[in-house]
Amino acid sequence: MNDKEFDALRKKLQCYITRWVKPLGLGWWRLHFIYNREPEEDDFHGSKGETAGRCIANWQYKEATITFNMSTCAAMKELDMERMFVHELMHVFLNEARQRDIVTDREESVATQLASAFMWHRDAVLAEGKKLVKAKVKA
C-alpha cells in the first residue's frame, strides 16, 4: 500500500471516529487510534495479519487504544470496515466484564451483535429521516 492509499484509508477510519464515538457515549473516554502498515507481532487471536482491528481498554481510567491493521482494512468492503470499527468500540464497553484480561469467543460474539444492532439502528434512523424529508417535500 502506497502513502496515498494509506492516507485515504486512514481518513476513512477517522470519519468513523466522528460518526460513532460521541453518539455511542464514548466522547468522555480518552481514545487513541493507531494505524499500522504491518500487522502487529503479538496478534490477539493467533491469526497474525488477518485481524483488522484490536482494542485494548483500560476501563479504570476510561482510556482505550484501538489499533488497525491497514493492509487487512484495505481489503475490506466499506460496510465491513465500518462494522469492524464499531465492533472494536464495543470492546471498550465489554472490557470491564473480562476476567484475567482474556478476550473470549463469547465477548467477540457480543461485540459483533452489538455493532450490528447499532448499525441497524443508525440505518433505521436515517431511513426514517429520509421518509420525513420526502413527506415534507410532497406537502
Side-chain angles (χ1 to χ4, degrees), residues 37-104:
R37 285 184 184 268
E38 301 298 325
E40 291 183 297
E41 287 299 317
D42 178 25
D43 188 42
F44 214 56
H45 299 289
S47 55
K48 186 177 185 303
E50 295 174 17
T51 304
R54 176 181 182 172
C55 176
I56 298 175
N58 198 344
W59 60 269
Q60 302 93 323
Y61 303 104
K62 304 295 183 248
E63 186 170 10
T65 299
I66 298 176
T67 303
F68 300 103
N69 173 351
M70 297 298 270
S71 58
T72 301
C73 290
M76 299 174 83
K77 294 178 183 174
E78 189 167 343
L79 183 61
D80 293 334
M81 189 167 45
E82 184 172 11
R83 186 172 286 113
M84 174 275 301
F85 181 88
V86 177
H87 171 102
E88 294 308 322
L89 290 178
M90 296 301 103
H91 284 294
V92 173
F93 294 112
L94 295 169
N95 180 268
E96 189 172 346
R98 284 187 197 160
Q99 292 183 356
R100 296 179 305 238
D101 207 31
I102 297 170
V103 180
T104 64

Side-chain angles (χ1 to χ4, degrees), residues 17-55:
I17 294 169
T18 302
R19 183 179 294 167
W20 287 104
V21 169
K22 285 186 180 178
L24 287 174
L26 292 170
W28 51 282
W29 276 67
R30 287 190 356 224
L31 299 178
H32 310 280
F33 297 93
I34 298 172
Y35 310 92
N36 283 344
R37 285 184 184 268
E38 301 298 325
E40 291 183 297
E41 287 299 317
D42 178 25
D43 188 42
F44 214 56
H45 299 289
S47 55
K48 186 177 185 303
E50 295 174 17
T51 304
R54 176 181 182 172
C55 176

